[in-house]
Each structure stands twice: as structure tokens, then as C-alpha cells.
Amino acid sequence: MSTKQAPAWVVVRELPLALAAPDAVAELTAQVTRKLGLRRGEVHELRLTQRALDARHRPPRYACTVEVALEAVLAARLVKARRVEPARKLVHPRLRLRAAPDGPRPVVVGAGPAGLLAASTLAEAGWPPILLERGKAVDERARDVSRLYREGVLDTDSNVCFGEGGAGTFSDGKLYTRVGDARVRVVMEALVARGADPDILVDNRPHLGTDRLVELMRSFRAHLEGLGVTFRFGAALEDLEIRDGALAGLVLRGGERLEARQAVLATGHSAREVWHRLAARGLPLELRPFAVGFRVEHPQALINDIRYGRGAPADLPAADYRLTYNEPAGDRRGVYSFCMCPGGVVVTTPTHDGELCINGMSHASRAGRYANSALVVTVGPADFAAHGSAGVFAGVAFQQEAERLAFEAGGGAYVAPAARLTDFAEGRASSSLPATSYRRGIVAADLGRLYPEPVIAALRRALGDFNRRLRGFVTEEAKLIGVETRTASPIRVPRGDDLQAIAARGLYPAGEGMGYGGGIVSAAVDGMRAAEAMLTAAGAVAADEIASAP
């Protein structure tokens, strides 16, 4: 007696789909049937796994990847003929403790993506941590950020970089990543469960939108509190106690001491004081190259025309772009666009008085009048040395100097120095500036004075290449605004294969600020990895092992 085989799943790529297709699944099913020469009904099920806007065609359309369930013998034949690929589902095993270890609760320092996912991983495994955050809960934090934008008043603990949700909360919530890890899906599903748009599960370049992140953070906190996580806002880490090469406690600003044997340290890319404290406690640190530059702002309509062509349908999403340029000679530094915000605004992101840095963000609708993106140039130890900075904190000093010069060039109050893109490209000063989304205002300034000459020269050379690839990109309607310096952490905190800090057992450096990860999702994944390493050291096993135990 034969047993009917279960359907086999295969992958089909590069299927075009009209933006306004009334029934995407039906249209894609019909396309798969035609493309593979199948009969009606041989496609048992279809699920859309990825959707990317393809602006190469007129009109633009989606390019889709799908997984299709076929009869097993048919699927095997198509795979052998290389007409499809077998679907490979990445499954990430969840860890669980049989019982919470004796001793103090674990601690997570930092409520950004790495810290929140670390806390979630620990709590779901049965070991809910105390979560410390120097900034405020997201609602109060939003008021402080609004005051900074409106009045130029900076709270050095509650701002665009510090507070619940981390820096990503006020920088668009971009979720695309090149990290190939099953945990990426776990992160995305966790966000959807807390209220994010399910489209992030299939969009090629997903984003949340700043306007939706406040409510999402509230939901995430309520979920974690339900799992036993204790949030403590306004709890800035002042010092660490290291005894015999192991973590013994954490000291908060004001002198309170928390006994701690295990802690995830996920303080973000701007908590400079923490790096200095780690160095003072004897932990090795590494200098990292990063990238600096400016934020370029164009009218969104102009970017739409460049990317879609004039006369394109008005209901298309706000167009984006990604640009890279590698110098062919000399020091071969790279120049690239970063954190592109269609329909967005330029925002002020300082964390220290008398220093200015900026970023971009956009709401979920991306319906603003302007498009902005960082244009940045890679810098490294040679640049820092030429600048007069040496040692592991040379990159930090390089950042701070550029931010101090930008603050002075803007005249204070977080007004930003700027220049028309055409003027900058030609090395001349601007006599006037276009309108901008930057609420603190911009003033014409010599941007060439804000960075060393090699950085400025590399960016000017790259602009010619960018304009050849996107005709009309270098225009008087665009302006450069300074400065963009917080692209990545200039420091890495080394850790072993067990993800514990060198010379501090029980301390797990994680996320972008510790030198691991480069965005919301990659930082969140690293926070999960750190928490899982902590759980493994505490004897955790796969959750299904506990479920199946007698």
C-alpha cells in the first residue's frame, strides 16, 4: 500500500508583478504555472517570500521571489533540471532553562535593538533580566527630542541616541540587512507580533517609520514586562566591578551598586563614557575604521524623476537610491550613500553640548517633500594619525573634532553648516541655500574645513561618478548639510568564542556600540547571540528537549 507523499517546497525567483496587482497570489501562481510549464492545479500552494521594487522598467514593478508547494516527484525533476531551487527553511532553535540559576538576576545594559532582543531571549528562556537604560521611556524621550528639534535644548541622557528603543527609534527604523542568519526572521516576527506591518516579512528593504516606532516600543516593553523583565530608566552605568577576571557588579550614576555575575552590555554607538570605563577597568579595546561625511538633501520629486523617469505614475512609492564609489588609486578609500530616507527629514542627533552631528529619518508613509541620505567617506588609523590623534580612542577624537567644528560653523544652537551640492563639488562657497527640512536651520559655510583634505577630495571625486550614474543628482536644488559622523562605532570590545569579554567573564559585549552589528536588525541579532551564549553557559538546552522530556 503506497502512502501519498507530502508536497515539496521549491523557490522561484524574478517574477514580475505590477504594483497595483489586485490579487498578488493568483497572479504569481499563474506566472509560475506558465514559467514551469505546469498544468492547472499542480501548484498546491504559493507564498510570497520577498518583494523588491524594480525601477529599471517603465513603469516600475515588483520583482518577486516565491516558495511553491509541488508534488514531490515533480519538484525533484524541476530541481534536477535546475529550473527551480529547493526551499531551505532556516530554523532557529529556542533555548530554555530547566530552572533559573541561583544568584542575582542577569542584567542587560541598554534598551536599543541589541538590548531589547537580548532581554527577550533571556526572558523567554525563563531567566528574565533587569534592563538598565540611561535615557527615558519612549513617550518622555519623544518630548525631549521634540524640544531639541524645536528649541535647540539638548538633554544629554534623553535624545535621538539615548533612550528606549535606541538610536533607530528616531532614524526611520530601517530593517534591511545583509546578515544571513535565521535569527533575522525571529527579529522580524517579534516586531510583527508587537504591531509592525507584516509587509516587513517580505519587503526587500523594509522599514518601520519613526511615527510607528513609539507605539511599537510601548508594546514591546509591555510584552517583556509580562515575561518578568524589570525596566529601569534613568539608570546610567557609571562603573563595573571586575574581580579575578570576572564581572562582580555594576555601579550606577549616583552610587547605587547592583550585584551582577552576568550582563549583556549593549550601550549603542554613542556611549563614549562606557568605552573609557571599560579601558579603565583593564579590558582591551580595538580601534575601528568607520565613515564620516555629510547628509545630502534633494527634493523628493527630483529623485523620483531620476529613478522612475518623468511622467511616472504619481502613486509610486517615494524613490530611493544606493551609491558606492571606490577610488581607483591612492589610498583606495570608499565613498558611499548610507541610511537613505525617501520622503524624510534631516534631524539633529548630538549627545554632548557644543558638538553637532545629524542623521535622517522618515515616517512610514515617506510622504515628505525631501529625500536625504548620508554621503560618507571611509576613514581609518592613518587619517586619525594625520589629524594628530593616536591610540585606541583616536577615532573618537576624530569624531568629536568634526562635530565641534560643525557646531561652531553653524553658529551654535544646533544650526547646521551647509552648501549647495554644485558649489561643494566645485570647491566654492554658497551665496544662498535652498529650503530644507532641517528644523534647526542651516547656514552657508565652508564645508571643506570640517574634515581633512583627503576626505573632502574623495567625496568631490565621487560626486562626478554619482552624477553619471544618476543624471541630475548634482544640482543646485540639492544641499550638503554637516556633519554625519555616527555611521558606526569607532571602538570594538573584543570577545572570545563564548562571546564573553576578554578579561571579564560574565560580561557579554553586544550590538553596534560594542563593534558588532551595523543597524537595527544586525544589532538585534547580535543581542540574541549574546543572550544565547549566556544561557548556554548557564546550562540552557533547546526548548523542544524540555517539552519532550518525560
Side-chain angles (χ1 to χ4, degrees):
M1 180 176 178
S2 63
T3 302
K4 186 176 180 180
Q5 288 184 303
W9 287 88
V10 297
V11 177
V12 184
R13 303 184 187 278
E14 291 295 320
L15 297 174
L17 180 69
L19 300 186
D23 188 336
V25 171
E27 170 60 25
L28 292 169
T29 300
Q31 285 197 49
V32 168
T33 301
R34 291 194 298 271
K35 182 173 182 175
L36 301 181
L38 305 178
R39 294 190 297 271
R40 183 185 295 273
E42 287 188 309
V43 174
H44 298 306
E45 189 178 348
L46 178 146
R47 54 195 180 207
L48 176 64
T49 59
Q50 190 174 78
R51 178 180 66 187
L53 185 65
D54 186 352
R56 297 170 297 178
H57 297 271
R58 299 291 183 266
R61 63 194 189 190
Y62 291 121
C64 299
T65 298
V66 299
E67 291 182 352
V68 180
L70 304 174
E71 192 272 328
V73 174
L74 173 60
R77 187 169 70 248
L78 291 170
V79 169
K80 185 177 181 180
R82 297 185 178 181
R83 300 189 64 193
V84 298
E85 305 166 30
R88 293 181 174 87
K89 186 171 180 60
L90 295 174
V91 178
H92 181 64
R94 305 296 183 102
L95 296 180
R96 184 82 187 177
L97 289 162
R98 298 183 187 276
D102 294 334
R105 292 169 63 182
V107 178
V108 174
V109 186
L116 289 172
L117 267 295
S120 177
T121 302
L122 291 168
E124 289 173 0
W127 205 15
I130 299 169
L131 198 158
L132 307 177
E133 169 55 52
R134 71 183 287 175
K136 298 177 183 177
V138 70
D139 290 290
E140 294 177 86
R141 180 188 179 198
R143 288 190 285 272
D144 291 331
V145 169
S146 179
R147 189 179 182 205
L148 172 62
Y149 293 168
R150 187 178 63 252
E151 303 173 26
V153 177
L154 172 66
D155 184 325
T156 55
D157 283 324
S158 179
N159 47 59
V160 176
C161 293
F162 299 145
E164 185 178 17
T169 304
F170 292 95
S171 62
D172 196 47
K174 295 178 181 64
L175 300 177
Y176 37 89
T177 179
R178 295 185 181 90
V179 173
D181 190 306
R183 296 177 185 84
V184 171
R185 182 74 182 192
V186 177
V187 172
M188 296 297 199
E189 289 177 348
L191 292 170
V192 170
R194 306 280 74 79
D197 190 329
D199 281 352
I200 67 172
L201 298 175
V202 298
D203 282 341
N204 185 51
R205 297 176 71 81
H207 76 110
L208 297 169
T210 300
D211 51 329
R212 295 183 179 175
L213 277 161
V214 170
E215 180 56 38
L216 193 149
M217 286 299 104
R218 288 194 207 106
S219 176
F220 217 113
R221 189 194 330 142
H223 170 68
L224 293 183
E225 288 176 333
L227 293 173
V229 176
T230 300
F231 281 77
R232 291 193 57 184
F233 296 106
L237 179 66
E238 180 70 23
D239 204 352
L240 301 92
E241 292 185 6
I242 310 294
R243 295 179 193 159
D244 300 323
L247 179 68
L250 302 172
V251 179
L252 306 185
R253 189 189 298 162
E256 180 185 355
R257 180 186 181 277
L258 288 178
E259 187 176 2
R261 302 289 183 270
Q262 298 90 10
V264 174
L265 191 60
T267 50
H269 63 32
S270 293
R272 296 166 177 163
E273 303 91 341
V274 173
W275 300 325
H276 284 282
R277 186 54 58 192
L278 293 174
R281 290 288 163 247
L283 273 70
L285 304 179
E286 296 175 352
L287 175 64
R288 293 182 73 213
F290 56 107
V292 297
F294 305 96
R295 191 146 284 261
V296 64
E297 185 174 60
H298 292 80
Q300 182 64 54
L302 187 150
I303 298 299
N304 290 348
D305 286 346
I306 292 174
R307 297 288 283 133
Y308 296 149
R310 293 183 182 276
D315 60 350
L316 288 172
D320 63 5
Y321 58 82
R322 181 172 178 269
L323 295 165
T324 60
Y325 172 77
N326 292 309
E327 298 213 283
D331 56 16
R332 303 181 68 84
R333 68 177 77 236
V335 185
Y336 57 95
S337 63
F338 175 78
C339 185
M340 197 274 158
C341 298
V345 297
V346 180
V347 296
T348 186
T349 60
T351 53
H352 293 79
D353 292 320
E355 299 174 4
L356 171 63
C357 54
I358 61 172
N359 201 347
M361 55 79 72
S362 51
H363 291 320
S365 66
R366 291 182 163 173
R369 294 173 53 200
Y370 298 99
N372 71 77
S373 175
L375 292 183
V376 294
V377 182
T378 55
V379 291
D383 298 293
F384 310 149
H387 177 261
S389 299
V392 74
F393 291 104
V396 176
F398 188 91
Q399 270 185 341
Q400 288 180 296
E401 177 67 4
E403 293 171 11
R404 183 187 64 78
L405 290 173
F407 185 85
E408 293 175 356
Y414 305 105
V415 173
R420 289 183 188 268
L421 193 56
T422 46
D423 291 332
F424 175 84
E426 296 297 328
R428 60 176 180 260
S430 294
S431 58
S432 64
L433 295 171
T436 180
S437 66
Y438 184 71
R439 290 185 63 184
R440 296 305 308 144
I442 57 178
V443 296
D446 182 359
L447 300 186
R449 295 179 178 273
L450 304 184
Y451 293 115
E453 191 277 336
V455 174
I456 298 297
L459 181 53
R460 284 179 173 144
R461 286 191 290 269
L463 287 175
D465 180 73
F466 294 166
N467 197 55
R468 283 189 291 274
R469 293 160 62 188
L470 293 181
R471 291 291 181 184
F473 184 83
V474 178
T475 171
E476 288 193 356
E477 295 180 77
K479 81 287 297 185
L480 279 183
I481 306 172
V483 289
E484 179 105 10
T485 54
R486 309 285 179 97
T487 56
S489 169
I491 295 286
R492 172 173 282 133
V493 182
R495 60 192 187 187
D497 293 340
D498 59 4
L499 303 194
Q500 296 182 71
I502 307 299
R505 295 187 310 278
L507 184 66
Y508 295 80
E512 193 168 343
M514 297 293 110
Y516 305 95
I520 289 174
V521 174
S522 61
V525 165
D526 197 64
M528 289 181 64
R529 293 182 66 229
E532 289 164 0
M534 184 189 295
L535 288 165
T536 299
V541 297
D544 57 2
E545 291 184 31
I546 294 178
S548 62

